Amino acid sequence: MEHEFQDGKEGVIQAWYMDDSDEDQRLPHHREPKEFIPLNKLSELGVISWRLKGGDNHEDDENLKKIREARGYTYVDICEICPEKMPNYEAKIKSFFEEHLHIDEEIRYCLEGSGYFDVRDQDDCWIRVAVKKGGMIVLPAGIYHRFTLDTDNYIKALRLFVGEPVWTPYNRPHDHLPARKEYIDAFVKKEEAGNPAITAH
Ligand code: KMT
Ligand code: NI
């Protein structure tokens, strides 16, 4: 399933290393010069993604249906973020951008608008994943991440879940959680194997 619906994905999902300036979180925060990251590197972090159509007809989308069936995404709802439509907008925006993890996957499908999902790489550097209409992304359980709108200030996204949704964010640090340990074992430790400076304690 990870290898399906990849055509033209670069048009709706891009990733790059972030600078460390304190400017507005909604700006792109490219490094100088820009350091783009190929999307297959994201899969090494457990982040998977697809390109679908976006827009309003997700109920009739056979490709979305295939993904949901293959991955067990039984639950969906819509999350629309703009000041007019979201209760407690400012507080929510702030909490989305606090670095956190979940004990389940975070699955989002951008129907309209755009936003940035920032994830930590194996060396704890921020990668900014820009997702536009049609981009669908899965952040694995246990990855530290955050979300912000970009300067267009609007996203309408489908939120999916396996079973009854639990959206609880665990703000960093929450390294003792089993989901975090499992994430490290699956996606971070590999990089350290064979590096005696790190593994010989
Ligand atoms: C989250 O969990 O960060 C969000 O739901 C952000 C909005 S989804 C586009
Ligand atoms: Ni989250």
Side-chain angles (χ1 to χ4, degrees), residues 4-201:
E4 288 192 72
F5 316 126
Q6 300 300 301
D7 294 349
K9 196 165 79 173
E10 301 71 22
V12 296
I13 303 178
Q14 285 195 318
W16 57 82
Y17 277 113
M18 294 185 74
D19 66 14
D20 48 19
S21 95
D22 293 329
E23 274 188 293
D24 184 350
Q25 68 192 49
R26 292 173 163 87
L27 294 171
H29 285 271
H30 275 290
R31 287 186 181 170
E32 172 55 45
K34 292 179 180 175
E35 284 182 54
F36 284 99
I37 300 166
L39 296 181
N40 60 11
K41 164 140 171 119
L42 290 185
S43 63
E44 293 169 20
L45 298 173
V47 175
I48 54 185
S49 54
W50 301 277
R51 180 175 189 164
L52 301 175
K53 285 196 191 67
D56 278 332
N57 295 326
H58 64 269
E59 274 134 6
D60 307 324
D61 185 338
E62 289 302 317
N63 294 347
L64 179 62
K65 209 166 149 190
K66 271 178 102 171
I67 294 173
R68 288 182 60 184
E69 281 172 5
R71 297 189 59 90
Y73 299 151
T74 46
Y75 176 93
V76 290
D77 70 9
I78 288 181
C79 175
E80 194 170 17
I81 308 187
C82 62
E84 299 78 23
K85 297 203 174 147
M86 175 157 257
N88 300 319
Y89 174 79
E90 286 301 335
K92 286 256 179 61
I93 290 291
K94 222 175 146 202
S95 78
F96 290 149
F97 201 63
E98 297 274 347
E99 182 172 2
H100 64 275
L101 61 75
H102 307 280
I103 61 173
D104 302 283
E105 292 180 346
E106 178 166 318
I107 311 138
R108 299 290 185 268
Y109 169 26
C110 180
L111 302 173
E112 295 293 340
S114 52
Y116 296 134
F117 294 85
D118 297 339
V119 298
R120 292 283 191 183
D121 80 352
Q122 288 97 339
D123 299 319
D124 224 19
C125 295
W126 279 119
I127 294 175
R128 179 145 274 192
V129 185
V131 181
K132 295 199 267 198
K133 176 177 177 174
M136 179 164 173
I137 186 171
V138 179
L139 310 183
I143 194 173
Y144 282 119
H145 66 279
R146 64 189 180 188
F147 172 82
T148 180
L149 290 171
D150 59 27
T151 51
D152 288 342
N153 273 314
Y154 180 71
I155 193 167
K156 183 175 173 184
L158 212 61
R159 303 193 297 180
L160 301 95
F161 208 87
V162 180
E164 274 307 299
V166 181
W167 309 119
T168 314
Y170 295 91
N171 285 351
R172 190 168 184 175
H174 258 94
D175 297 338
H176 58 285
L177 290 176
R180 178 63 187 166
K181 295 198 161 110
E182 284 157 24
Y183 177 76
I184 289 185
D185 285 346
F187 297 107
V188 181
K189 261 201 186 137
K190 260 189 256 169
E191 302 293 307
E192 299 176 0
N195 182 344
I198 296 171
T199 50
H201 294 291

